[in-house]
Amino acid sequence: MIPAAFEYYRPTDMAGVIALLQEHGDDARVIAGGHSLIPMMKLRMADVPHLIDLQAIKGLNGIAITDGTVTIGAMVTQHEIINSAEMEKAAPIMKEAALQIADPQVRYMGTVGGNVANGDPGNDMPGLMQCLNAQFHLTGPDGDRTVDARDFYEAAYMTDREDEEVLTAVSFAAPVGGFAYEKQKRKIGDYATAAAAVQISKEGGKVAAASIAMTNLSDTPVWSDSAGAALVGTACDDAAVKAAVTAMLGDIDPTEDNRGPVAFKRHAAGIVLGRAITRAWSRA
Amino acid sequence: MSKKMHVKLNVNGEDHEFLAEPRELLIYALREKLNITGPHVGCETSHCGACTVTMNGKSVKSCTVFVAQANGSEVTTVEGLGNPDALHVLQENFKEHHGLQCGFCTPGMITRAAKLLEENPNPTEEEVRFGIAGNLCRCTGYQNIVKSILSAASEMNAAKEAAQ
Ligand SMILES: Cc1cc2nc3c(=O)[nH]c(=O)nc-3n(C[C@H](O)[C@H](O)[C@H](O)COP(=O)(O)OP(=O)(O)OC[C@H]3O[C@@H](n4cnc5c(N)ncnc54)[C@H](O)[C@@H]3O)c2cc1C
Ligand code: FES
Ligand code: FES
């Protein structure tokens, strides 16, 4: 419950953040909503001698939807995602998923940027971002760069982000067609036993395109190219769904924990994906 | 130990200034520095919501906010909603509908419910349950908490209508 001591900074511009990250290296971390970092600090699983609060930085807030591209500032909270009518129109899967994350209090504080930068395979937004083929925008001492969500996750808590970089925004093309985020969990606020993000578009009664990503079934989120491909061109009937599930099962690698043994998680993964595909197709 | 910082908080309409280490959690600043002991601590993993307060218009778990982050904020706790001589409608209804037993979750529950009703004055039972899902209760089984909140909502709406 009692975190170790740290120095606290609240810079007002990004240059200030980067300067602090450069000065303190491994000893510094940014804090966004704090709802993954503070719990870890309270358990002394994270040691952060220099804590850099992003709350006063301008330009990390707000949702912008222009020319079919959705851009979400890193400090946009899950609560804001749920309450944005524009977001619901442009990418309704965001609200469906955000409502399955944590609980009301956590959603007022927890940010999109923190959720995707955290690197915990339990987080729901990383898989969602891979499903949407999102881009992550990073700023560091050498300037700005962009990384595909599908290339960002390396292992648990290991991402492509350098220690001195800050994630400023995520963006993606407004998805077309039907969508679903289906999450199996033990209770409110629990990380998924298994979850699936699905977007499907339809043309002439057939699947025109499908994107499928799975949450908490490996040490990173899993975007299953082959599962999506198994649906394309089909009428999304039982056989096609079965083929997609089989393909997905080849891509995940769950581990046993108190959410269940590996065989159970694989079973749950198949169930949630089947449900997600069915719901997405019904909305396509 | 790191340097103490100068912290300013407005709690329940009153300004407070004090020195604290940045790592001090808001819940402890409220309880131990300011003697505002309604908000409680029921866990160390940010699940129970007993520590819930309203900070800058958001329901937050004050065990998961450093006092450094809260510096400059406006905070409302259950003490700011009403007092034994002038109960808030929610407090009145928790009493009326037996929405508490040991009372340990109640300050967080009522503070959260106040925010919920501000954002959604006409919630369904399901919306109430989902809206207080960040608050655990060991005693009541939630049923009477839901009743208390729904009843408070209709009283508040009736009062609003009468005022028009
Ligand atoms: C009770 C509870 C239940 C939860 N349930 C869920 C759930 O079901 N699903 C889910 O997905 N999450 C869940 N969470 C986690 C929650 O959504 C977190 O808020 C989120 O994971 C992190 O966002 P944050 O803004 O709080 O980040 P922080 O905790 O502030 O930061 C997390 C990490 O990301 C880094 N970081 C943050 N922002 C940036 C940035 N802009 N650039 C670079 N690095 C950055 C930080 O340095 C830190 O290492 C839960 C949390 C709690 C307490
Ligand atoms: S004390 Fe349990 S959530 Fe804050
Ligand atoms: S009344 Fe005892 S915990 Fe809720």
Side-chain angles (χ1 to χ4, degrees), chain B residues 79-102:
Chain B
E79 289 90 343
L81 294 177
N83 60 57
D85 298 323
L87 292 181
H88 184 277
V89 191
L90 274 161
Q91 291 166 325
E92 190 66 54
N93 274 282
F94 268 66
K95 184 178 143 201
E96 191 66 28
H97 295 277
H98 207 65
L100 68 150
Q101 290 179 38
C102 77

Side-chain angles (χ1 to χ4, degrees), chain A residues 29-39 54 74 78 100-103 106 109-111 113-115 117-118 122-125 161 165-168 183 189-191, chain B residues 45-47 61:
Chain A
R29 278 253 218 136
V30 299
I31 185 165
H35 277 57
S36 287
L37 188 54
I38 297 176
L54 297 178
Q78 290 144 14
Q100 298 178 62
I101 292 178
D103 61 46
V106 175
M109 295 296 283
T111 66
N115 202 292
N118 194 31
N123 283 128
D124 289 288
M125 287 199 172
R161 187 181 64 81
E165 286 180 319
V166 179
L167 188 133
T168 57
K183 177 174 173 181
D190 192 21
Y191 295 105
Chain B
T45 53
S46 311
H47 282 93
K61 294 178 174 176

Side-chain angles (χ1 to χ4, degrees), chain A residues 1-8 10 31-36 38-39 41-44 51 53 55 77 79-80 83 99-100 103-109 187-190, chain B residues 1-3 5 21-23 25 27-28 41 43-47 49 52 55 57-61 63-66 68-71 112 115 119 130-135:
Chain A
M1 188 73 183
I2 311 296
F6 55 79
E7 297 296 330
Y8 172 83
R10 199 188 285 188
I31 185 165
H35 277 57
S36 287
I38 297 176
M41 290 171 74
K42 284 161 64 173
L43 298 171
R44 307 248 176 158
L51 190 69
D53 192 340
Q55 69 169 284
T77 62
H79 180 83
E80 290 173 272
N83 288 285
L99 281 168
Q100 298 178 62
D103 61 46
Q105 288 93 320
V106 175
R107 291 193 293 262
Y108 281 103
M109 295 296 283
K187 59 177 177 57
I188 284 278
D190 192 21
Chain B
M1 208 166 92
S2 66
K3 248 188 8 244
M5 63 187 282
E21 277 191 71
R23 66 165 161 168
L25 296 164
I27 182 70
Y28 292 125
V41 176
C43 73
E44 57 173 8
T45 53
S46 311
H47 282 93
T52 300
M55 185 177 92
K58 304 167 166 189
S59 291
V60 304
K61 294 178 174 176
C63 72
T64 315
V65 180
F66 291 125
Q69 296 172 284
N71 192 7
R112 170 61 200 140
K115 186 74 206 161
E119 290 182 356
F130 194 69
I132 58 167
N135 295 75

Side-chain angles (χ1 to χ4, degrees), chain A residues 142-159:
Chain A
D142 303 327
D144 302 343
R145 68 185 180 105
T146 296
V147 186
D148 283 350
R150 291 176 189 171
D151 297 330
F152 187 72
Y153 298 96
E154 293 163 355
Y157 297 102
M158 304 260 296
T159 68

Side-chain angles (χ1 to χ4, degrees), chain A:
Chain A
M1 188 73 183
I2 311 296
F6 55 79
E7 297 296 330
Y8 172 83
Y9 311 86
R10 199 188 285 188
T12 52
D13 59 24
M14 192 55 83
V17 179
I18 304 227
L20 284 164
L21 286 171
Q22 281 187 291
E23 183 182 344
H24 300 291
D26 253 7
D27 283 345
R29 278 253 218 136
V30 299
I31 185 165
H35 277 57
S36 287
L37 188 54
I38 297 176
M40 298 282 272
M41 290 171 74
K42 284 161 64 173
L43 298 171
R44 307 248 176 158
M45 284 160 68
D47 177 30
V48 184
H50 298 273
L51 190 69
I52 309 167
D53 192 340
L54 297 178
Q55 69 169 284
I57 311 287
K58 287 180 197 68
L60 298 180
N61 298 298
I63 297 166
I65 298 164
T66 37
D67 299 331
T69 300
V70 179
T71 306
I72 306 170
M75 291 293 278
V76 168
T77 62
Q78 290 144 14
H79 180 83
E80 290 173 272
I81 295 286
I82 290 164
N83 288 285
S84 163
E86 304 99 290
M87 178 64 79
E88 192 173 1
K89 216 166 133 217
I93 194 171
M94 290 295 295
K95 177 176 179 174
E96 178 157 300
L99 281 168
Q100 298 178 62
I101 292 178
D103 61 46
Q105 288 93 320
V106 175
R107 291 193 293 262
Y108 281 103
M109 295 296 283
T111 66
V112 172
N115 202 292
V116 304
N118 194 31
D120 181 342
N123 283 128
D124 289 288
M125 287 199 172
L128 179 57
M129 291 297 143
Q130 293 193 338
C131 171
L132 294 169
N133 198 13
Q135 313 253 284
F136 293 169
H137 303 274
L138 302 164
T139 293
D142 303 327
D144 302 343
R145 68 185 180 105
T146 296
V147 186
D148 283 350
R150 291 176 189 171
D151 297 330
F152 187 72
Y153 298 96
E154 293 163 355
Y157 297 102
M158 304 260 296
T159 68
D160 187 55
R161 187 181 64 81
E162 300 287 339
D163 283 345
E164 293 165 6
E165 286 180 319
V166 179
L167 188 133
T168 57
V170 304
S171 67
F172 49 83
V176 289
F179 66 92
Y181 194 79
E182 179 79 25
K183 177 174 173 181
Q184 174 64 42
K185 56 181 194 256
R186 297 170 301 181
K187 59 177 177 57
I188 284 278
D190 192 21
Y191 295 105
T193 302
V198 174
Q199 283 280 163
I200 298 180
S201 62
K202 187 181 195 170
E203 229 175 74
K206 296 267 160 68
V207 175
S211 180
I212 290 173
M214 307 299 292
T215 294
N216 218 11
L217 292 161
S218 183
D219 63 347
T220 61
V222 174
W223 180 66
S224 180
D225 192 7
S226 54
L231 295 178
V232 174
T234 71
C236 222
D237 48 20
D238 288 352
V241 173
K242 216 169 158 193
V245 166
T246 305
M248 175 278 291
L249 290 172
D251 288 341
I252 62 170
D253 184 19
T255 48
E256 173 165 347
D257 59 17
N258 51 16
R259 291 186 182 84
V262 171
F264 173 70
K265 289 191 176 182
R266 295 178 65 81
H267 176 72
I271 301 284
V272 294
L273 180 56
R275 286 183 188 160
I277 292 173
T278 307
R279 193 158 77 244
W281 181 242
S282 74
R283 289 162 161 172

